[in-house]
Amino acid sequence: MPLSVDGEDDQHSGVGASMRVVESVTGVMADVPEGVDLVPGVYEGGLKVWESSVDLVRYLREHNVVQPNHRVLELGCGHGLPGIHALQQGAASVTFSDLNEEVLREVTGPNICLNVATMAELHSRVALVSGD
């Protein structure tokens, strides 16, 4: 599903170029009830596109923060929108970190693949780390 981070998405407007996000998940995360933000010990919010991540992408874009030599660490990445933005802006590397390995596998990884140009970029510039 395209998420406009540039203006026309009624939920998240005014951020930048459109990003695509996964629409459904499988495995353990598929059992999380729709509309639930947190399930302590099971699910810590990685399936939700948090408004703060959209706000951060907006800030990074408006202030041209990410530069090609930057190495970026996104903690509690969930959908990974700020990290994806950093990749799109040419960051040297981005490490996506989330408590839940399932979120990285079912949400973050697919979102990166949907929004990064080539597989070569993924192998040379992206790391996924789970746990606390």
Side-chain angles (χ1 to χ4, degrees):
M1 163 178 76
L3 168 69
S4 172
V5 286
D6 202 9
E8 296 306 316
D9 182 288
D10 57 354
Q11 210 176 3
H12 308 289
S13 62
V15 176
S18 290
M19 288 187 193
R20 298 183 303 176
V21 296
V22 295
E23 294 186 45
S24 63
V25 296
T26 61
V28 174
M29 294 294 128
D31 295 331
V32 174
E34 189 172 328
V36 172
D37 291 341
L38 301 171
V39 178
V42 176
Y43 166 67
E44 303 298 330
L47 299 179
K48 176 180 177 128
V49 176
W50 293 92
E51 188 159 338
S52 58
S53 70
V54 175
D55 292 341
L56 179 55
V57 172
R58 179 181 300 119
Y59 179 87
L60 294 172
R61 181 181 166 127
E62 289 174 0
H63 297 280
N64 198 30
V65 172
V66 180
Q67 300 297 315
N69 62 334
H70 287 172
R71 294 181 305 154
V72 176
L73 170 61
E74 185 178 355
L75 298 173
C77 64
H79 279 267
L81 300 184
I84 291 168
H85 171 76
L87 287 169
Q88 292 173 335
Q89 297 306 303
S93 66
V94 178
T95 299
F96 295 86
S97 175
D98 201 279
L99 177 65
N100 293 316
E101 182 180 348
E102 294 88 358
V103 169
L104 291 170
R105 184 177 51 250
E106 300 287 335
V107 178
T108 314
N111 281 344
I112 295 166
C113 290
L114 285 170
N115 290 283
V116 177
T118 68
M119 290 304 286
E121 285 184 274
L122 296 180
H123 294 294
S124 65
R125 297 174 53 211
V126 174
L128 301 174
V129 179
S130 66
D132 50 351

